[in-house]
Structures are given as C-alpha cells and as structure tokens.
Amino acid sequence: MMNQKRVVIENISPQINSGEFSIKRVVGEVVEVSATVLGDGHDVIAASILYKHEREKKWRESRLVDAGNDEWNGSFYVEKQGVYEYKIEGWVDYALNWRHGTIRKIDDNQHVASELLEGVEYLDNLLNVVSIESEKQYILKLQYIFKNTDCYNEAIEEVKSEHLYNLLFKNPEKKLANNSKILTIYVDRLKARFSTWYEFFPRSSSLKEGVHGTFKDCEKLLPRVSQMGFDTLYFPPIHPIGEVNRKGKNNTTTAYEGDVGSCWGIGSKDGGHTSIHPQLGSIDDFKSLVWKAKEMGIEVAMDYALQAAPDHPWVTEHPKWFKWRPDGTVQYAENPPKKYQDILPIYFETVEYEALWNQCLEDLYYWIECGINIFRVDNPHTKPYYFWNWIITNIKKKYPDVLFLAEAFTKPKVMHQLGKQGFTQSYTYFTWRNTKHELIEYVEDLTKTDQKEFMRPNFWPNTPDINPFHLQGANEAKHIQRYVLAATLSSNIGIYGPVFEQMISEPIPGKEEYLNSEKFQICNYNWFKENKLIHLISQINNIRNKHEALQQTNNIKFVDINNDNLLAFYKWNDDKTSEMLIVISLDEYYMQQGWLKLPLYELGVWQGHQIKVTDLITHSTYDWYDEYNFIELHPAMPFHIFIINK
C-alpha cells in the first residue's frame, strides 16, 4: 500500500495490551500522554492529542510538546463518566517550517525577499481560517509588507515575531497528517478511586446475644459506621443459605441443629441469588436499609458470588449449568487446601452458556434496581475472563455508576487480567506485606508501572477469609500501624470491621484463618464499645475525607529515613494544594528514631526555606529549616500524618 504521509507515530503511552483494553480514570482526572513522533529530514513537525467522549461527534485537540529526541508529551482532562477515545495526530507544519528556515537565513544575513513572497501563500491559508477581525487585519498587513520591498526591514521583524508564530501554531494546515489508531479510556465516578469500606455480617448485627440479626438491626448500626468515617458498608451474601451439606461451626462438615452455615453456600428452598435470607427480613426491609444508609452518605455494597448450594433452585431448574459426574453427583468447589462441600461450582462451559450468562446479568440488574451500585465479586478468577468483560461492559452501558471490587488473592497476572477486563478495584497483597522493603517494593509496583493504568488497589488489613499471621495475637500498636498503613498508602481501603477494631485475632493453629470464624456462625459484639484503635480509625478516616492528597494512590514518593523500622512518604493532589508527609513506625514494641530527608525538589523549596508541618492527630506543629529532620515514634502513637505548609 502506498503511503505519502511523512510523519511516523509510535510508542504511545498510556495504552494496555496495544490498545486491547481501556485505561482507567475518574471524572476530573488528567490523562498524561506521551508518544514518539518523527518525520524525515529536518522539517518542523507538530503533533496533537485528539480526544472525545463516546457521545461526542467532534474531536477535541490538545497540542503535544516536543520533549526532545522525538519524544512528545501532552495531557487532557476527562470531564464525565463513560468511554473516551484518544489518538495522536502528527504532521509536517509547512508554515512553521517556512518561518523557522527564513529566520535562520535572516540570522545569517541572507536576503529573504523570495522567502517573504512564499510566506504570503501561507498567510492566504491563514486568512481563510481565522475569525477574529483584529487577526485578519494583522494578516492583511503582513501580506502587504511581505510583498512591498520598501517594508523589508519591518517584514523580517514580523517573521520573527511571537505574534506570527502563535497564529501559525494555533491554526495549522495539517497537510498529509498521520493518525494513530484509536485508544480508549473508561472514566468512573470518584468513588472508584476513593472509598473507605466497612464489612460486617448482617446476621451478627443483633444487640441481643444468640439472636439472628436483621436488616432493622443493621439500620441501628448505621450512625456508628457513619461517625467512624466509612462511606461503603459491605455485606457478605444475604441470600438463603443451603441446607444440604451445610457447614457447622469452624468449617466442620457436620451441621447441628441451630448451625447457620456459610452465607456463601447460596440457595435453598427459600430461593437463590435474587432472594433474601428470611431471617434477615424482607426485600422492603433491605431497600429501607439501603435508602437510610444513602441519607448518611454510605453506599451498601453487596457480595456477588456465582456459585450454588446443592439445593439452590438452579440445580433442578438448570441442571446443565453444573457438571455432573458419572455417579450423578457434582464435584463440590475446592481451592486447595480449602474444600467447600456446601458449594457447587457453576459449569461455564455448558452448552446453555448464553442462558447462564444472561441470568447472571439479570440478577445484577435486579439488585441495581434495588439501589445497589457496588458489588464485591467473590472469587472472580475462577470464572472466565471474557465472561466478566461481557458482564461489566453491559452493566456499565446501562448503569455507569456501578463499581466492581475483585476478590482475587491469586497470581499477579491473573489479578492484572481482571483489572484489564473491567473490574473497578482489586484486593491486593497488602494484607501480607509487612516490612519496609516489602511495602515500598509493592506500592512502587502498583503506582510506577503500567499497573497504575488498570489496577486500582484496595488495601485490607484483614478479611473474614484472612487472619494474617502478623495480626494473630497482635497488640494495639500493630493494629494501629496496619490501619494507618492501609489508609495512607492507598486511597481505597477496607476492614472486616468488628473483628479488626476489637482486635479479635485468635487463629486456627498454623493457619491464617480465624478460630470460631464468623463465616460459619453468628457472633455477638459490643457494637458500642470504645477503644483507642476505634477512636484513631475514626480520626484517620476523617483526615482522609478532608485532604485530597490521601484520596488518590498513585501520587506518592517514598522518602529517605535512616531506619528500617520507619517508613516515610510524601503524598499530594494534582495541583499540590494538598501536600502531606506520613511517617509510620513498623515496630509495635519499641520506640524508633531516625533522620528524615525532606523531598525538597518535589516540594519546590530549597535548603533553609521554612517548612511547617502539623500532625493532624496530635495537632503538634514543627518548624523545619533543614533538609534532614529528626523523627521519634513510640508504639503508643506509632505514626505522624503531617500536613505541609510552605
């Protein structure tokens, strides 16, 4: 194929899998773009980003800047939810090339009368596109003096003028322009980037010991969740629980009378994925809870678990949705070494896959229409990736506010693939990252590689499934440390609430699992208990809600401090109106000291310039003038969250 274009465009960033997947942003964020743009010879070339929302017909333009060595940089803002398209356009700018060459000749004392006449042709083109009268008059003046030899000296001064340069730059004639392929961005609402999750089991919400909780009991706890600064209340599955192969306490395979089973064993004679466990209340009770939570600034998040108890209605109504063995049974679910005898995995290779997929989609529609816009998806990595792409794409087309959190503690590339296929957020390995080196390496991986374009981390210190070894028997300082690490390193965070804040951490010996796990029984809590950890969680959440620097994950720089038990980092918002310095002790037993090196370059100040830092917990203020400053932290208060004033 013949191609007369003279500009080559390559190495566009950001893009995922050569443009196969959309990068991610939230409303109001900037998209920083770079590309290699080069032409043959020595002619002046120019380049732009062309971008538009999927509902717009016309492309908008943002010029790229030559950064040297044929690298070009630029940016644009995304202003509303949905899909944006963007591409790079490059061209030889013949008018600017004429100006550049003419100036070089003028500076070499060459006579440029002929070049001035050539310039008149470019001015003719310019005259046809400008609309401002003063600019038209200026162009007409240039045409006159370029043609008139008596005005030669004035003409060559005008060739070199910024006025002419700006006119030519703003109104290029894009002859033989080249365009890259179109890339895409999915833009979510702000909550995709900044959220604070609190998890509890509705059946454990009763204030009376041994009594099954209800949605009405949950309503009574909403003020407490709100006062602690959480904006997302996540419930494990609220559906009917299977009676066949129901689990007993502590995951035993025998359930005795009164055992409530695992709420992930979904489905019974009372219904399936669009039904509610009868002991929790009615659908109207649930809708009332969702509405009252919204009035307090809290969104209820539901669990979306695609699996079935042996007595789920699907098993008899759609037997081909399950893989049957020769003896007439279905192999129960496994995640070695864990076994789930109360759960049947769905057979996604079924010949009836279209009906299965559509039912899964309809179930989501049902709950969205009940007021749910956030789903925590259980074990998404055990279902086909393209299924999730289809589900999420269809949901987003109809309900763009809906967000999906992937619960996939699995191999890195598997987690990455889920993010690429459309999951809004993801659980992470933070739960197990404990040392300074581990934390820095992991956060740098999330925020400084292309993962930042598709993987939105959500840091959880614990979950009902995971009682990490470092929290087993841990003291108050360790729990404070883990919460402040999550809350300041990541803008999306969550806790398995009452268990974490009341420091209940007795394990099954040798396993990262809770003894007397709430997954298999009702627990009773003193829901109005107060302790130092609860108070600090509330304060930290309040700080997160007030300061934009903590409302995004990727703007982070780790700061030198000469102690491996002290972690320090600087965070900021995009326009640097919110700048923070966080220092956390990783030692829950002993006082730690160190000298912290201020990131002067990033702060835009110099040695000797006064920096005032205020601890937002203690309200203590320090005036720093030097690059190195002394830090001392005690387990009683093992962190500083400093706001920076310059």
Side-chain angles (χ1 to χ4, degrees), residues 340-351:
Y340 306 95
Q341 293 90 340
D342 56 338
I343 293 173
L344 304 184
I346 293 171
Y347 182 45
F348 278 89
E349 292 89 344
T350 175
V351 295

Side-chain angles (χ1 to χ4, degrees), residues 573-592:
N573 66 344
D574 284 343
D575 61 7
K576 293 204 170 182
T577 55
S578 174
E579 295 179 279
M580 308 189 80
L581 185 66
I582 293 92
V583 190
I584 303 168
S585 172
L586 304 179
D587 188 337
E588 63 268 36
Y589 297 112
Y590 300 103
M591 181 176 65
Q592 294 292 332

Side-chain angles (χ1 to χ4, degrees), residues 378-645:
D378 190 66
N379 281 327
H381 55 295
T382 61
K383 289 83 182 174
Y385 301 117
Y386 299 123
F387 163 77
W388 289 121
N389 185 286
W390 182 84
I391 282 280
I392 294 171
T393 299
N394 277 281
I395 290 292
K396 287 289 196 178
K397 284 179 181 176
K398 192 173 181 180
Y399 300 104
D401 281 352
V402 174
L403 310 177
F404 293 90
L405 169 64
E407 186 263 348
F409 296 105
T410 181
K411 295 180 293 184
K413 288 183 175 58
V414 172
M415 296 169 73
H416 296 171
Q417 187 63 214
L418 292 168
K420 293 173 182 178
Q421 295 288 352
F423 276 90
T424 318
Q425 299 176 7
S426 175
Y427 283 71
T428 68
Y429 303 143
F430 166 77
T431 312
W432 297 277
R433 298 298 187 260
N434 198 35
T435 68
K436 182 174 182 175
H437 172 75
E438 290 171 341
L439 288 162
I440 292 175
E441 181 182 55
Y442 187 51
V443 173
E444 292 273 274
D445 202 32
L446 290 169
T447 63
K448 300 297 187 289
T449 69
D450 66 354
Q451 288 184 52
K452 68 182 180 181
E453 304 295 351
F454 59 82
M455 180 94 169
R456 286 200 192 96
N458 196 322
F459 280 10
W460 289 64
N462 72 327
T463 76
D465 280 310
I466 304 166
N467 179 15
F469 288 125
H470 56 248
L471 282 182
Q472 296 177 12
N475 62 12
E476 179 184 70
K478 185 66 176 181
H479 282 80
I480 293 171
Q481 172 205 110
R482 293 304 293 176
Y483 192 79
V484 75
L485 280 167
T488 54
L489 286 169
S490 176
S491 54
N492 290 308
I493 62 166
I495 54 169
Y496 168 34
V499 164
F500 183 84
E501 70 199 31
Q502 297 186 28
M503 295 175 282
I504 300 167
S505 60
E506 189 176 2
I508 296 174
K511 295 185 177 182
E512 289 188 302
E513 299 179 36
Y514 289 99
L515 187 64
N516 301 318
S517 170
E518 195 171 359
K519 288 174 62 178
F520 307 103
Q521 65 185 59
I522 294 173
C523 292
N524 290 101
Y525 302 103
N526 177 0
W527 284 103
F528 301 100
K529 180 177 182 178
E530 294 290 336
N531 62 27
K532 180 178 176 181
L533 174 60
I534 293 170
H535 181 65
L536 283 174
I537 288 172
S538 303
Q539 282 188 285
I540 292 165
N541 289 346
N542 183 52
I543 291 168
R544 280 167 49 88
N545 290 331
K546 288 182 177 178
H547 296 276
E548 289 185 0
L550 298 180
Q551 294 174 15
Q552 48 193 312
T553 301
N554 293 334
N555 288 355
I556 185 169
K557 177 180 174 58
F558 288 97
V559 174
D560 290 341
I561 188 166
N562 64 337
N563 184 334
D564 283 344
N565 286 306
L566 293 175
L567 181 71
F569 48 95
Y570 162 62
K571 298 200 80 172
W572 64 95
N573 66 344
D574 284 343
D575 61 7
K576 293 204 170 182
T577 55
S578 174
E579 295 179 279
M580 308 189 80
L581 185 66
I582 293 92
V583 190
I584 303 168
S585 172
L586 304 179
D587 188 337
E588 63 268 36
Y589 297 112
Y590 300 103
M591 181 176 65
Q592 294 292 332
Q593 301 173 335
W595 287 91
L596 180 148
K597 182 182 179 182
L598 278 173
L600 297 180
Y601 177 80
E602 287 77 9
L603 288 168
V605 299
W606 56 92
Q607 170 76 9
H609 181 89
Q610 181 185 11
I611 295 284
K612 185 185 291 291
V613 295
T614 301
D615 188 308
L616 295 174
I617 298 292
T618 65
H619 305 293
S620 299
T621 296
Y622 306 88
D623 290 318
W624 291 347
Y625 296 88
D626 299 318
E627 185 174 15
Y628 287 89
N629 297 275
F630 182 72
I631 296 290
E632 180 177 278
L633 288 170
H634 189 276
M637 188 61 70
F639 67 96
H640 287 301
I641 300 178
F642 288 127
I643 187 74
I644 299 172
N645 291 295

Side-chain angles (χ1 to χ4, degrees), residues 245 306-310 315 319 321-347:
N245 293 348
L306 289 179
Q307 55 209 32
V315 178
W321 292 3
F322 303 90
K323 190 171 184 179
W324 299 87
R325 298 185 294 189
D327 63 0
T329 63
V330 176
Q331 173 64 49
Y332 56 75
E334 292 185 346
N335 183 14
K338 295 180 180 180
K339 297 180 179 181
Y340 306 95
Q341 293 90 340
D342 56 338
I343 293 173
L344 304 184
I346 293 171
Y347 182 45

